[in-house]
Amino acid sequence: MTGWPEMLATALVGTDRRSTNAAAAGTDPAGDLLEQAAAWSVYRRAGVRPVRGLVAPEPAPDETTTTVGEAAAARLADLLDATELAVTEYRGGFVAEWLSVAAARNRRVPPELLPALLDAGRRRTELRPMIVAAGGLRTGWLAVQNPEWTYLTAEVAESTADPAFWHEGTKDQRAGYLTAARRADPAAARDVLAADWPTLPPDERAQLVAIFDTGLGPDDEEFLERALDDRRKEVRDAAVDLLAKLPGSAFNTRMAERARACLRVRDGRISVEPPAVCDQGMRRDGIIPKTYSGKGERAFWLEQILARTPLSTLTDGDPTAFFRLSLEDGWETPVLHGLAQAAASQRNPAWAAVLLDVLEPQKPSSRRWVVENLYAALGPDELVRRSIAGLRDPEAGLGRFLERLLEQCPAPWPDALVAAALDGIAVHVRHKRMPYDIYAVCRLAGMRMPADRAPEAARIAKRFRTEHPNHGRVDALDQLTSTIDFRHQMIQEIS
Amino acid sequence: MRDEAKPRLSAEQVLALAPDTSSQRAARSLATLARWRDAGHSPDPPSLWGLCEGSGANPYQTCVDLTEPAYRCSCPSRKFPCKHALALMLLWSADGIVTAEPPEWVTEWQTSRTDRKEQAAARAQARNESRAAKQAEPEQGPNKTAQRRADRVEAGLEELDRWLTDQVRQGIAGASRGGYAHWDRMASRLVDAQAPALASTVRRLASVAATPDRLLTELSLIRLLVAGYRRADQLPPDLAATIKARIGFPLATDAVLAGPRVRDEWAVVGVRDDGDERLMVRRFWLCGTATNRPALVLSFAGPGQQLAADLLLGTTVDADLCFYPGALPLRALVATRYAPAAPFTEPAGAVTVARALGSYAKALTAEPWLDRWPVLLADVVAVEDTPVRWHVLDRDGEALPLDPAIGPPWWLVAAAGGRPATVAAEWTPAGLRPFTAWCDGRLVRP
């Protein structure tokens, strides 16, 4: 009987081309081969031997807390169920609250739900601290085993330090490996990336260079400066963002110089002189030379320069002093929009507050995202103060901005904010007078107000329903009450 | 066995009966006694009932027979079981329902069910008798149909045999170049030849076409099946039945149910769904507590149909199974249930890796085409030896590779935390496919 390897070799090229010694004259060599192969196949399947020589991993440390009960576990599993993507935004909020309540009550996520939770944390960075708090000791033990989850862990375990992940892993695994390596030793990680830089696909280069945000330091400047000469725009943009975050970088100095040349202060006035051309140096630093319309290029360059200028270099970093000066006519929009982008990306609450006071009332001419991004730079007290003002005062004119402002407010909402929202809703549904989107306010109130205010919300909804049974906007209130009921139930079952 | 001694189903097991997730959510919100009146539970026959206020004028009357389980509710929902029945079971699961004397509307339902069951049994009996009578008379119509089918299969196998030898004559190295069409063409010929099971085996060759080793194995085993069918009349009847089943000769459910019955406390150790949008297949893997015998119960659903959920993972059911005839009877039907399903904490009869492989080898001697074999492994740990290559390792230091197609078993790693766990799995030529694990007495699944 012929051996399996030889039989396989014959079958590969075909019995027409390679004769088997078993084939006697007058028989069918292909049929004979299949017949023998069948005997071999059963023999090989029956003879599979166990694999030896593997070493069991170090078990997870013993937990000090208990897992949540069945009902709470089932609810979390429901919320993490990736098959119902439609309400992801919503669910993210519920998951965050579930985790923080569980952590506060010293209860733990059932371990079998950790993979889904760690996957959710890849996209939703705001969940990460809560995953660590409510996941128990197993979370860290588990996260280091999968490079896609290493965002969670500060230590680099041997398994993720395995360079095989870098050389043979998937795109996400390489990113995970690099993140972990940056935490452990930023310089060594930079060398790893630098060594393979030329051979990496361009879109992956952009993803990987952005990881330098972890452990970013002055030593990275040289590498990032070189990345400004990359052929791929995404790579250059990522490098620009990082260089802007390095205080005293040559990049920041160049931008500050450009800004000084554009805005000259003389006798309490700012005269504006944008660049005449977008030169090679500006383009290298990420300034886009062409506007979409092809018009207003100089204003466009000015705005981009200011958006990347360190605010500490303008009027010694004092926004009030800056706005005491009068601005040359005709350049107000690019200057304000540029500075607003700088305040948002540098997370500068003082500049953000002053800029909002100027930009919010100019609704129609302000680009929406420019204003909205400023809210993220404000401190929590300022956010709450502005929200209350917007909810209480129909003349505040926040309109469409209110939703974004409320979104940024810390959860759970403080009492004063809850009161303002409920009053605003009550007035709104009765008189249709508040100039904001009642559905958005109800949605956010349902998600963010303390869940034990559920009875109060239900009372308002009931009263309104009795007084105005056919009111068109009663469903906004229903959404609020059902959301808050859901949370109330969810929080109660965590034990 | 008295059912009070049996533990109740867990909430998770109850929710597994739900037709969809929105029913689960609705049931959970109804599972509070405030929503129910006159709820009660009786051990004989094991049943639950209650009145639930709905949007209608009268409360809905809901009752559940726990043995099957079977449900009845006066609500207009077309979901089955409805949220009311599920909520009632959730309450009972949480020990929220008192034992009581069933009211009249419940006993009426139970009586009508018993009557229907008896009538059905009588009809089945009558059918069996008439079939036996028919078989006694030779040369009847059905036999002509059977002969026509046999002729078609004969011709189809003739063509398949030529096709198989052609593959090997021309060389299988280029087999993957033809893409799916290459295999689909032959598979369609077999569908025409009324050999549907064989047709899907041929269609599945596409997935191993790039691996010559696997391809030659599969081709040779198909050839073995063809050869076996030709000599079927010289083979033991059980082996001949296996061959006919693998070719795709249908076997009526009634005929299987008329066969011998095996009563045991059957533990449901695994549930796995497969298939595509045209036909979904749910496999329930069972293991006899006393007989230590594996069994496979299948449920099929076409578009818009629901798969059966009457066997609950992690429970045992005291029942008669009827096995499809074959050299290695594995597929079975549930004939009669004697008691409601009862949860178990860990399945009995888990073995080492070596013993599991031994059981597969032994099974192959009876059924050479066997390519899924249920194994219950004791104290194994999941190990990633090199990136993305996973094994489960037992206490003797022996391991089995996982089927790479199922992806990394993070669910098992997370739940077990590197500690030994009992794992139920299918062993296949591509590797092991775990479907359930018991970690610290908790059941987990992917």
Side-chain angles (χ1 to χ4, degrees):
Chain A
M1 189 159 162
T2 325
W4 176 261
E6 193 183 326
M7 222 151 38
L8 184 59
T10 306
L12 272 169
V13 297
T15 50
D16 279 354
R17 261 174 282 178
R18 183 181 154 135
S19 65
T20 44
N21 47 15
T27 61
D28 168 21
D32 287 351
L33 188 142
L34 279 172
E35 206 163 286
Q36 289 186 26
W40 265 107
S41 296
V42 180
Y43 172 81
R44 291 172 81 227
R45 281 186 180 176
V48 168
R49 312 277 308 158
V51 177
R52 300 201 63 103
L54 295 177
V55 184
E58 196 64 33
D62 287 323
E63 299 286 354
T64 52
T65 53
T66 46
T67 53
V68 295
E70 213 176 326
R75 186 167 316 249
L76 181 62
D78 253 12
L79 290 172
L80 291 172
D81 189 350
T83 55
E84 293 180 42
L85 286 170
V87 274
T88 308
E89 201 55 38
Y90 238 28
R91 276 155 190 266
F94 292 137
V95 171
E97 186 161 33
W98 192 104
L99 292 171
S100 56
V101 172
R105 294 182 183 169
N106 228 2
R107 289 289 179 275
R108 183 162 54 84
V109 176
E112 59 272 21
L113 295 179
L114 288 175
L117 195 57
L118 287 166
D119 281 343
R122 277 172 59 197
R123 279 170 293 116
R124 308 193 65 94
T125 50
E126 77 278 9
L127 291 178
R128 293 176 183 182
M130 288 173 261
I131 294 175
V132 174
L137 299 172
R138 193 162 296 185
T139 315
W141 176 87
L142 187 64
V144 295
Q145 299 186 54
N146 184 348
E148 294 180 16
W149 299 333
T150 43
Y151 63 78
L152 206 68
T153 163
E155 70 224 272
V156 186
E158 241 170 10
S159 53
T160 43
D162 187 344
F165 282 124
W166 177 257
H167 296 297
E168 290 148 37
T170 64
K171 207 170 133 196
D172 284 336
Q173 284 178 334
R174 264 196 293 282
Y177 172 84
L178 192 69
T179 311
R182 280 290 290 184
R183 273 208 197 91
D185 183 352
R190 191 172 59 239
D191 292 343
V192 167
L193 180 59
D196 285 339
W197 186 254
T199 55
L200 285 163
D203 54 340
E204 201 176 333
R205 282 210 295 266
Q207 185 193 2
L208 293 175
V209 77
I211 288 171
F212 276 32
D213 202 17
T214 305
L216 185 69
D219 294 346
D220 293 321
E221 190 178 348
E222 194 197 327
F223 181 87
L224 293 171
E225 273 286 339
R226 262 185 288 138
L228 287 181
D229 299 319
D230 200 275
R231 278 165 49 196
R232 186 74 158 212
K233 184 174 178 302
E234 286 81 357
V235 177
R236 298 196 301 268
D237 287 348
V240 162
D241 287 345
L242 292 171
L243 283 168
K245 286 187 184 176
L246 278 176
S249 67
F251 174 89
N252 278 333
T253 314
R254 292 198 293 273
M255 280 300 174
E257 270 167 24
R258 288 184 188 119
R260 257 197 304 277
C262 295
L263 306 180
R264 292 213 182 83
V265 183
R266 258 182 235 121
D267 316 323
R269 288 176 43 85
I270 302 176
S271 66
V272 181
E273 181 61 42
V277 288
C278 185
D279 62 28
Q280 185 57 39
M282 283 163 67
R283 259 178 282 179
R284 182 169 180 272
D285 283 342
I287 309 289
I288 302 166
K290 286 256 183 284
T291 57
Y292 297 112
S293 61
K295 285 182 208 154
E297 282 176 341
R298 293 181 70 206
F300 185 52
W301 299 332
L302 171 66
E303 180 183 326
Q304 293 183 74
I305 288 170
L306 292 177
R308 295 190 176 113
T309 297
L311 291 166
S312 56
T313 63
L314 294 172
T315 53
D316 293 328
D318 180 357
T320 331
F322 184 90
F323 285 101
R324 262 199 304 269
L325 305 168
S326 68
L327 197 62
E328 186 180 331
D329 278 349
W331 298 105
E332 196 184 27
T333 304
V335 170
L336 289 176
H337 284 184
L339 291 176
Q341 290 166 59
S345 71
Q346 292 166 37
R347 300 261 154 166
N348 189 320
W351 280 84
V354 173
L355 281 159
L356 279 168
D357 288 340
V358 180
L359 286 170
E360 269 175 355
Q362 304 182 345
K363 259 180 309 180
S365 64
S366 297
R367 254 173 282 154
R368 184 174 179 161
W369 61 270
V370 172
V371 177
E372 288 178 344
N373 284 348
L374 277 173
Y375 293 131
L378 295 175
D381 292 345
E382 180 68 6
L383 283 165
V384 171
R385 192 188 67 75
R386 283 174 178 269
S387 301
I388 292 173
L391 286 162
R392 291 262 183 233
D393 178 11
E395 307 306 314
L398 275 185
R400 56 192 181 152
F401 294 134
L402 183 64
E403 181 185 351
R404 196 55 209 257
L405 185 56
L406 285 172
E407 242 166 43
Q408 298 287 330
C409 284
W413 284 358
D415 287 346
L417 182 54
V418 174
L422 291 180
D423 288 352
I425 291 165
V427 171
H428 190 107
V429 290
R430 240 170 296 168
H431 307 299
K432 305 187 181 181
R433 265 189 41 213
M434 290 298 187
Y436 44 75
D437 179 359
I438 183 74
Y439 289 92
V441 173
C442 283
R443 181 176 64 82
L444 281 163
M447 291 295 289
R448 306 283 171 83
M449 57 194 259
D452 54 15
R453 306 290 289 267
E456 207 173 322
R459 260 200 311 279
I460 294 179
K462 196 174 172 191
R463 199 176 59 218
F464 181 71
R465 199 179 268 290
T466 330
E467 289 170 13
H468 310 271
N470 299 316
H471 196 294
R473 266 172 281 188
V474 75
D475 53 334
L477 272 174
D478 287 346
Q479 190 187 12
L480 186 151
T481 49
S482 69
T483 305
I484 198 165
D485 276 347
F486 180 92
R487 289 173 50 221
H488 195 55
Q489 218 174 11
M490 173 179 92
I491 289 168
Q492 281 189 323
E493 73 199 1
I494 297 174
S495 59
Chain B
M1 168 156 327
R2 296 186 46 221
D3 84 285
E4 287 107 311
K6 286 197 171 187
R8 283 181 295 266
L9 298 180
S10 72
E12 196 181 337
Q13 284 160 341
V14 170
L15 290 171
L17 297 166
D20 51 37
T21 48
S22 72
S23 304
Q24 291 181 343
R25 251 174 249 137
R28 255 196 243 121
S29 66
L30 279 178
T32 150
L33 274 178
R35 303 295 298 262
W36 293 85
R37 273 194 290 127
D38 304 332
H41 163 240
S42 159
D44 185 35
S47 49
L48 304 170
W49 59 87
L51 302 175
C52 184
E53 294 292 347
S55 46
N58 298 317
Y60 298 131
Q61 297 178 326
T62 311
C63 44
V64 179
D65 178 329
L66 291 166
T67 313
E68 298 283 346
Y71 321 90
R72 204 200 69 144
C73 185
S74 59
C75 77
S77 167
R78 263 185 263 165
K79 290 189 177 165
F80 197 76
C82 69
K83 58 187 176 182
H84 305 104
L86 288 168
L88 203 53
M89 290 180 81
L90 281 175
L91 275 172
W92 161 74
S93 153
D95 202 9
I97 294 190
V98 291
T99 307
E101 218 26 67
E104 202 175 321
W105 58 272
V106 175
T107 45
E108 268 170 21
W109 178 60
Q110 280 162 343
T111 316
S112 74
R113 272 177 51 75
T114 318
D115 289 351
R116 274 205 302 278
K117 260 201 254 177
E118 275 163 9
Q119 283 163 12
R123 276 199 304 276
Q125 178 76 19
R127 265 202 306 277
N128 288 342
E129 275 163 13
S130 80
R131 190 180 309 110
K134 266 185 201 155
Q135 274 165 0
E137 303 168 36
E139 294 301 318
Q140 284 298 309
N143 282 350
K144 266 189 206 158
T145 322
Q147 186 55 48
R148 242 193 335 267
R149 181 173 190 131
D151 289 345
R152 272 202 203 134
V153 169
E154 187 77 45
L157 292 194
E158 193 75 37
E159 190 181 343
L160 175 64
D161 194 24
R162 271 199 308 279
W163 181 86
L164 286 169
T165 46
D166 280 351
Q167 305 301 309
V168 174
R169 198 168 288 126
Q170 291 156 12
I172 60 174
S176 60
R177 248 176 276 140
Y180 285 99
H182 180 69
W183 317 103
D184 281 351
R185 232 177 350 255
M186 187 64 230
S188 323
R189 299 292 299 158
L190 288 167
V191 172
D192 295 344
Q194 291 190 297
L198 200 47
S200 36
T201 308
V202 169
R203 195 167 283 125
R204 277 198 305 271
L205 288 174
S207 65
V208 297
T211 327
D213 192 284
R214 286 284 309 280
L215 181 58
L216 180 59
T217 303
E218 297 299 337
L219 289 173
S220 71
L221 289 172
I222 294 174
R223 179 102 192 315
L224 183 65
L225 197 62
V226 174
Y229 180 70
R230 288 179 173 158
R231 308 173 40 221
D233 51 351
Q234 300 159 45
L235 296 175
D238 284 345
L239 187 55
T242 294
I243 290 172
K244 288 184 82 173
R246 289 209 172 258
I247 284 172
F249 282 92
L251 195 53
T253 311
D254 284 348
V256 178
L257 288 174
R261 296 174 168 222
V262 184
R263 180 167 178 181
D264 201 340
E265 294 271 342
W266 295 97
V268 185
V269 296
V271 180
R272 158 157 284 154
D273 290 347
D274 262 324
D276 51 36
E277 68 282 0
R278 278 177 305 173
L279 186 67
M280 286 295 297
V281 185
R282 180 167 289 171
R283 293 189 161 74
F284 297 97
W285 284 109
L286 275 51
C287 184
T289 310
T291 55
N292 200 22
R293 191 175 169 167
L296 173 64
V297 176
L298 298 181
S299 155
F300 300 95
Q305 294 175 317
Q306 270 165 23
L307 286 162
D310 52 346
L311 290 168
L312 287 175
L313 185 60
T315 66
T316 53
V317 52
D318 179 8
D320 281 338
L321 292 194
C322 290
F323 283 85
Y324 281 73
L328 188 84
L330 203 54
R331 186 174 167 198
L333 296 172
V334 180
T336 312
R337 293 172 186 240
Y338 296 99
F344 62 84
T345 41
E346 287 232 349
V351 297
T352 60
V353 161
R355 292 266 311 271
L357 283 177
S359 73
Y360 178 58
K362 187 155 171 264
L364 274 178
T365 60
E367 226 273 48
W369 299 280
L370 190 67
D371 56 3
R372 292 170 195 270
W373 180 244
V375 293
L376 202 50
L377 298 169
D379 299 333
V380 289
V381 180
V383 184
E384 187 179 30
D385 54 344
T386 58
V388 243
R389 282 198 40 219
W390 287 86
H391 287 79
V392 293
L393 174 67
D394 74 4
R395 283 200 194 275
D396 297 342
E398 298 192 311
L400 288 176
L402 299 197
D403 179 356
I406 59 166
W410 290 120
W411 61 278
L412 176 57
V413 178
R419 293 178 180 77
T422 305
V423 169
E426 286 174 343
W427 173 245
T428 76
L432 193 74
R433 296 182 197 148
F435 40 59
T436 317
W438 288 265
C439 311
D440 309 325
R442 280 147 49 90
L443 181 153
V444 286
R445 52 182 306 196

